[in-house]
Amino acid sequence: MNIDLGATLVALMTFFGIAALMALSLNLEYGIAGVPNFGQAVFVSIGAYTTAITYTRLLPLLAGKEVIWPCGPTLGPALQLRSEIMRSYPGAGFLNLAITLVIAALVSGLVGYFVSRIALRLQQEWFLALVLLVGGETVRIFVRSYEPVICANNGVSGVAQPFAWLGNPQLSSILFMLLVLSVAALTWVYCERLVRSPFGRLLKALRENAAVTRSLGKDVALARARVMLIGSVIAAIAGVFFVLNTGYISSNDFVVTLTLDIWVMVVLGGLGNNRGALLGALVITILDRLTAIATIQMNMSAIDLEFNYVRYILYGIILLLMLRYRPQGILPEPARTTNAHDLLTDPAPHVADS
Amino acid sequence: MPPALLITSLVHSIQVGSLYALMALGITLTMRVIRLPNFAHAEFVTTGAFTALVVSLFLSRSPVVILGLATLSGALVALSSHLLVFRPMSRRKLSTYSMLLVSFAVGLILRYVLFVLSDYYQLFDKRIQIPLQILVRESYLVLTNITFTIVPVSIACVIALALLLGRTALGREMRALASNPELAHILGMRVERIRSLTWLLTGATAGLAGALWGLYTFVNPLLGWLAILPVFAAAILGGLSSFAGTILGAYLVAFCENTLMQALNHYTGLTFSFKAAIPFVIIILVLLLRPQGLTGFVRRSGDLER
Amino acid sequence: MNLAVEGLNAGYGKLNVLRDLSLSFAAGQFTAILGPNGSGKSTLLRSIFGLADVFSGSITLDGNPITDLNGAEIVSLGLACVPQRNNVFDELNVGENLQLATRRMDRRETARALEAAVELFPLVAKRRDQPACLLSGGERQMLAIAMGWLSRPTLMLLDEPSAGLAPNLVNDVFQTLLQLKDQGMTLVVVEQNARSALRHCDEVFILREGRLAFAGSAEACLQDEETIKSLLGTGNTGQTLPA
């Protein structure tokens, strides 16, 4: 029972680290800069698909083996080769992970950058949200239909996490958890520093009033593109860890509901507050577990309820309650941003609503 | 392309296009009058489909009763979403993105409640019990009573809606509210009542569209959600403002999904799994290249905006 | 009918524009509210119609508070408002705009009212089938006033009816307003164009920084050129810009 609890905790914390990365990314983009990324799933999925490609094409080469086509009739041997390399060539495994992270970050960052530059042509404010949402679905349909990426509908399995060669599942999952948590912690520190930097202040000014910021001679488009670049890099790293954690890459994991999960975390925790994003990620991770346990309990007492259904109903309710009663989130953004309004009007005594 | 394939795909285009038009009109109406890009519209559609299924299983097999009750259920769900969620939320003056999230949340709750219910009552993989009759059977084409229900009903409904908006006092007030809500308030129009009626109307069309869509395909809790993005594509192609544009957009999207896809498959070997991406590509291209949609070409008195 | 404002603090969100403002509009009079940009003239009108946030104080019609009423209720009490910009429904044609204003009358009443409107506002009548967005500035203003008038108010508030109009059109607008006054309507006009307003109105309120700076008859105001100069910020009360 003790071991079980430990394993649950490790799984929980690993997932928290991954969720935290996703939430930090969205908080940076929407919470700080006001760019409504309704296509978060696609940037996470770029990390996942990159992992699929490097672990099937690059890894054998790094280990000095012949590449076996990962789909179709050779699916079995390719899978076997992967697991064997992950078990006995730690060097190749780590190098491959490092390369995967770099490629995923580069691709995702560039996509984020260019999507944001193109999106400038959009007329209404919510069009960007729609383009990102629909763009994500388009990528997913493409990957699902085009075999070479992740073997279409089959997906790619047997992507072991980088410490699998230790031969001790407990130890390797603890090490993996530590790796994920430390990356998340570093990202958090980075985000905090970014928010406090002049660039962070520019982003907040832009969120409050793009026109005024532009009139102050700031390049609004470039600032938005830069923040999308940074956010997309973080999301892609989360995607790499996400599939390393589950060991399986399927396009079905990166649907609109994943994007919504991340939005729920950020709205719950507090838009514009990095600590809020972390809290939101933690609460949602725990809630996920609890609903799973509750569902099992209910099923045992003969109440038949699918876990995912309950979960999404719950998420919907959380979103509505938060937006209705506490739109600033559990941990609101700390200091009120200076906006042009405050600078232009004299400090009139504020009269409370009657 | 063989004529049989061409004709069949064209019939599909017309059938699906009529349904898209019906759904896209609801989206456009909410967009203009309520100023909300309403993603929960998908679940109003699904509700209509499930009502049709349940009515046909347990109550009556008369198409009039089935479609009527589906329409009613869509209207009721839409109105209660408005009264319980959207109206209190809009009083908080949330940003467009937050309202977008609210509509997502409402949709999510409805969708998974329908999942739970259909799981519990074992409604998966059941068909709406309207007996199938084959009315035309040629070597190249088979037409059933389903086609002859879907197409005329949705077209009649679209025309009725256009007349309501263009010719009646209520339609005039709805267009006025869409055009300038503040002035509507100042002139003493009963803005809340018009909003509620708009929700009833969009919900009713969504419910009807859902029942018809359920006849065309089959009923499941993802029915509306899977249709909503093509429907948004249609509305955006129409410029999100004009009725004529929206209707044209709906048929164009359906044409691309069916006839164009069939042609691409025939001539380039593109597999049908890419079919779902076609409306998305349309959305992205239109928003980037011609965000005003088709309305530059089409003008009508029933338009909600220039 | 007596519209009165007492100790009003109002504005938008956290921005407090009107500060402890008290004034009342006498029945049957033509009152002008003057003042420089940002003095709160439009905010006063908007708070009467529930379009600005009222923080404290009261707005009463014959002693009954109207702060919590919605637009329909305010209009049914006999108030009408013609806002400054966006005062017609651009996407609807002129006829439809007018019909919207007569929406609470029966068929016969509507016909009679529209006939009367044609007589009062001949400019508008000629363009019934055109979309309102194609009207010229003067026609637009006339249509907006006609729409306000069609709800048969006893008191009509107008926000800068002369804004952006050529001088001869400004005169037309004021002549029309005087006709309405002769019908017994109480008029309240917010104006930038102080000279035109002072020439036609009876009473004057001048606002500055959300407070009442002058209240009195138009004659008293005109004689006190010094006050006007300092209050309106220009020596030439006729124009915002020196000619």
Side-chain angles (χ1 to χ4, degrees):
Chain A
M1 210 47 206
N2 260 338
I3 301 160
D4 245 355
L5 202 65
T8 308
L9 194 68
V10 169
L12 197 75
M13 289 315 284
T14 312
F15 198 80
F16 162 65
I18 296 165
L21 283 171
M22 297 180 191
L24 283 172
S25 153
L26 182 63
N27 183 49
L28 206 59
E29 291 170 348
Y30 183 65
I32 308 287
V35 182
N37 192 347
F38 276 87
Q40 223 10 352
V42 78
F43 297 100
V44 176
S45 76
I46 287 175
Y49 302 148
T50 311
T51 314
I53 292 170
T54 54
Y55 275 76
T56 51
R57 315 300 206 286
L58 184 65
L59 185 68
L61 291 180
L62 290 175
K65 308 262 179 185
E66 192 102 348
V67 176
I68 302 175
W69 185 247
C71 316
T74 49
L75 190 145
L79 176 63
Q80 213 161 28
L81 178 67
R82 260 198 309 279
S83 333
E84 193 203 312
I85 296 172
M86 291 306 299
R87 259 202 317 274
S88 23
Y89 294 81
F94 280 120
L95 189 59
N96 191 63
L97 174 60
I99 294 174
T100 307
L101 286 172
V102 171
I103 296 178
L106 268 178
V107 174
S108 178
L110 284 178
V111 171
Y113 184 86
F114 284 111
V115 162
S116 153
R117 302 292 325 219
I118 293 168
L120 273 183
R121 299 158 138 268
L122 297 176
Q123 282 195 335
Q124 285 190 30
E125 52 172 4
W126 67 277
F127 280 5
L128 176 59
L130 188 65
V131 163
L132 285 163
L133 177 87
V134 163
E137 283 296 281
T138 315
V139 169
R140 199 174 66 82
I141 291 168
F142 179 79
V143 168
R144 212 182 53 192
S145 317
Y146 181 68
E147 193 178 48
V149 187
I150 56 162
C151 304
N153 279 325
N154 290 327
V156 169
S157 60
V159 179
Q161 40 115 321
F163 299 100
W165 51 273
L166 282 169
N168 178 341
Q170 255 176 296
L171 183 62
S172 52
S173 53
I174 290 175
L175 284 175
F176 183 64
M177 172 194 78
L178 290 176
L179 175 70
V180 171
L181 285 180
S182 42
V183 171
L186 281 178
T187 310
W188 177 54
V189 172
Y190 172 77
C191 289
E192 278 292 288
R193 293 184 56 171
L194 189 121
V195 170
R196 280 158 223 261
S197 70
F199 181 57
R201 283 199 294 277
L202 169 62
L203 291 178
K204 287 189 180 185
L206 194 151
R207 176 190 66 189
E208 299 298 332
N209 195 329
V212 171
T213 316
R214 192 176 290 123
S215 72
L216 294 172
K218 305 290 183 189
D219 189 341
V220 168
L222 185 69
R224 281 212 169 122
R226 275 179 64 190
V227 79
M228 276 295 280
L229 187 147
I230 300 169
S232 309
V233 166
I234 300 174
I237 292 174
V240 173
F241 288 137
F242 182 88
V243 290
L244 287 182
N245 188 36
T246 54
Y248 178 60
I249 300 144
S250 152
S251 59
N252 292 337
D253 284 336
F254 306 105
V255 289
V256 180
T257 36
L258 173 65
T259 304
L260 275 180
D261 287 0
I262 308 172
W263 274 86
V264 176
M265 294 175 199
V266 177
V267 169
L268 182 69
L271 284 168
N273 185 342
N274 287 320
R275 278 161 56 197
L278 294 184
L279 179 69
L282 185 65
V283 172
I284 291 303
T285 311
I286 294 173
L287 209 62
D288 240 31
R289 279 294 137 156
L290 288 182
T291 27
I293 294 168
T295 312
I296 293 167
Q297 291 290 333
M298 280 161 87
N299 287 359
M300 287 202 295
S301 46
I303 304 170
D304 208 20
L305 262 179
E306 182 85 27
F307 160 55
N308 263 333
Y309 305 164
V310 184
R311 182 178 116 118
Y312 286 122
I313 294 171
L314 207 61
Y315 282 8
I317 292 172
I318 290 177
L319 264 182
L320 290 184
L321 289 180
M322 288 308 289
L323 289 170
R324 174 84 174 82
Y325 296 104
R326 203 174 161 84
Q328 71 274 37
I330 301 174
L331 292 177
E333 194 175 346
R336 223 175 92 72
T337 345
T338 322
N339 61 34
H341 228 169
D342 290 341
L343 298 176
L344 291 174
T345 54
D346 49 336
H350 175 64
V351 187
D353 286 31
S354 55
Chain B
M1 194 156 66
L5 272 186
L6 181 67
I7 291 172
T8 313
S9 72
L10 280 175
V11 169
H12 276 282
S13 297
I14 292 170
Q15 197 160 321
V16 174
S18 310
L19 288 170
Y20 280 175
L22 198 52
M23 291 187 239
L25 288 182
I27 295 265
T28 308
L29 211 55
T30 333
M31 187 63 218
R32 305 273 1 135
V33 181
I34 314 291
R35 301 190 172 225
L36 172 77
N38 182 22
F39 279 86
H41 198 79
E43 277 63 37
F44 302 164
V45 171
T46 318
T47 307
F50 267 99
T51 310
L53 177 65
V54 170
V55 169
S56 78
L57 284 176
F58 302 114
L59 206 64
S60 157
R61 294 199 172 180
S62 140
V64 177
V65 176
I66 292 173
L67 294 181
L69 287 176
T71 309
L72 190 67
S73 73
L76 289 179
V77 170
L79 185 66
S80 17
S81 309
H82 167 56
L83 296 179
L84 293 174
V85 181
F86 291 114
R87 195 169 69 175
M89 287 287 182
S90 66
R91 291 219 179 101
R92 292 217 63 146
K93 295 185 178 137
L94 298 171
S95 70
T96 316
Y97 305 130
S98 297
M99 287 310 284
L100 204 64
L101 264 186
V102 167
S103 81
F104 265 116
V106 170
L108 205 61
I109 295 172
L110 285 173
R111 194 188 320 158
Y112 284 96
V113 165
L114 285 173
F115 259 115
V116 169
L117 290 178
S118 48
D119 206 22
Y120 190 77
Y121 293 103
Q122 297 176 333
L123 293 174
F124 283 120
D125 303 321
K126 293 242 165 72
R127 293 200 72 108
I128 297 174
Q129 303 292 309
I130 287 184
L132 194 74
Q133 295 156 7
I134 292 170
L135 300 179
V136 176
R137 190 201 289 275
E138 301 288 337
S139 59
Y140 51 87
L141 181 68
V142 178
L143 289 180
T144 64
N145 58 336
I146 303 293
T147 305
F148 284 103
T149 312
I150 291 176
V151 177
V153 170
S154 39
I155 290 180
C157 192
V158 165
I159 292 172
L161 208 56
L163 285 178
L164 177 89
L165 267 156
R167 300 285 158 80
T168 67
L170 174 65
R172 196 159 56 223
E173 294 192 358
M174 282 164 74
R175 282 182 292 136
L177 186 57
S179 160
N180 191 337
E182 195 169 290
L183 187 59
H185 170 90
I186 287 174
L187 285 180
M189 286 165 51
R190 281 183 287 175
V191 175
E192 277 310 322
R193 187 171 150 268
I194 302 167
R195 288 216 174 99
S196 300
L197 285 171
T198 307
W199 278 104
L200 264 179
L201 207 59
T202 54
T205 57
L208 179 62
L212 294 172
W213 190 254
L215 281 174
Y216 171 60
T217 55
F218 53 92
V219 178
N220 79 1
L222 287 175
L223 174 143
W225 175 246
L226 293 178
I228 198 74
L229 288 176
V231 168
F232 260 102
I236 284 168
L237 201 55
L240 273 172
S241 52
S242 98
F243 257 45
T246 303
I247 294 164
L248 192 61
Y251 283 107
L252 266 176
V253 170
F255 178 80
C256 291
E257 267 191 327
N258 293 283
T259 309
L260 185 68
M261 181 67 228
Q262 192 68 255
L264 283 174
N265 175 260
H266 190 258
Y267 294 113
T268 69
L270 191 74
T271 58
F272 281 97
S273 49
F274 282 101
K275 177 179 165 182
I278 289 177
F280 302 165
V281 175
I282 293 176
I283 291 187
I284 295 172
L285 288 182
V286 172
L287 286 185
L288 290 176
L289 303 178
R290 202 185 157 77
Q292 69 275 38
L294 298 170
T295 33
F297 312 122
V298 192
R299 278 192 189 165
R300 264 183 57 166
S301 62
D303 288 4
L304 287 168
E305 204 187 65
R306 259 167 296 154
Chain C
M1 187 160 71
N2 183 25
L3 178 66
V5 163
E6 189 69 46
L8 184 68
N9 281 290
Y12 310 97
K14 286 178 176 157
L15 186 67
N16 195 15
V17 181
L18 297 178
R19 288 163 201 177
D20 202 21
L21 188 68
S22 299
L23 41 82
S24 74
F25 304 105
Q29 297 280 322
F30 188 161
T31 309
I33 303 174
L34 308 176
N37 271 332
S39 58
K41 308 183 298 286
S42 297
T43 307
L44 175 60
L45 251 58
R46 294 176 63 85
S47 30
I48 292 171
F49 261 78
L51 294 168
D53 301 323
V54 172
F55 303 127
S56 67
S58 69
I59 302 169
T60 53
L61 196 63
D62 294 331
N64 303 313
I66 59 167
T67 342
D68 293 329
L69 303 185
N70 65 30
E73 290 163 332
I74 293 173
V75 170
S76 69
L77 290 175
L79 247 60
C81 178
V82 179
Q84 183 186 353
R85 260 165 284 131
N86 297 324
N87 50 15
V88 299
F89 295 109
D90 277 326
E91 286 84 16
L92 275 62
N93 64 35
V94 173
E96 288 178 319
N97 267 286
L98 291 172
Q99 278 178 313
L100 278 167
T102 59
R103 138 194 61 81
R104 285 180 309 149
M105 304 174 185
D106 62 34
R107 198 174 282 267
R108 231 153 108 226
E109 246 183 312
T110 307
R112 215 176 305 131
L114 287 178
E115 221 168 274
V118 168
E119 219 165 281
L120 256 171
F121 308 94
L123 268 178
V124 172
K126 278 186 272 177
R127 298 190 167 259
R128 291 196 68 148
D129 293 326
Q130 284 193 12
C133 58
L134 297 181
L135 295 180
S136 72
E139 290 166 337
R140 222 180 136 83
Q141 204 60 45
M142 284 300 187
L143 174 59
I145 297 173
M147 284 162 73
W149 177 81
L150 276 172
S151 71
R152 300 191 169 164
T154 40
L155 191 156
M156 182 145 78
L157 304 143
L158 299 102
D159 196 353
E160 300 204 22
S162 73
L165 297 186
N168 57 328
L169 289 175
V170 172
N171 200 44
D172 286 355
V173 168
F174 275 102
Q175 289 310 321
T176 308
L177 291 181
L178 286 177
Q179 269 180 289
L180 297 186
K181 185 195 157 195
D182 290 342
Q183 295 178 353
M185 196 182 289
T186 311
L187 289 167
V188 177
V189 176
V190 161
E191 262 304 338
Q192 286 275 345
N193 190 337
R195 178 143 338 245
S196 292
L198 287 173
R199 209 166 33 227
H200 298 103
C201 71
D202 312 311
E203 297 284 326
V204 180
F205 292 115
I206 299 180
L207 297 188
R208 195 168 60 170
E209 289 172 13
R211 294 175 209 277
L212 192 60
F214 175 90
S217 69
E219 289 91 50
C221 188
L222 274 170
Q223 279 157 14
D224 198 357
E225 191 80 23
E226 232 10 73
T227 318
I228 300 172
K229 210 184 273 181
S230 66
L231 280 172
L232 301 185
T234 117
N236 183 345
T237 49
Q239 269 95 20
T240 5
L241 290 171

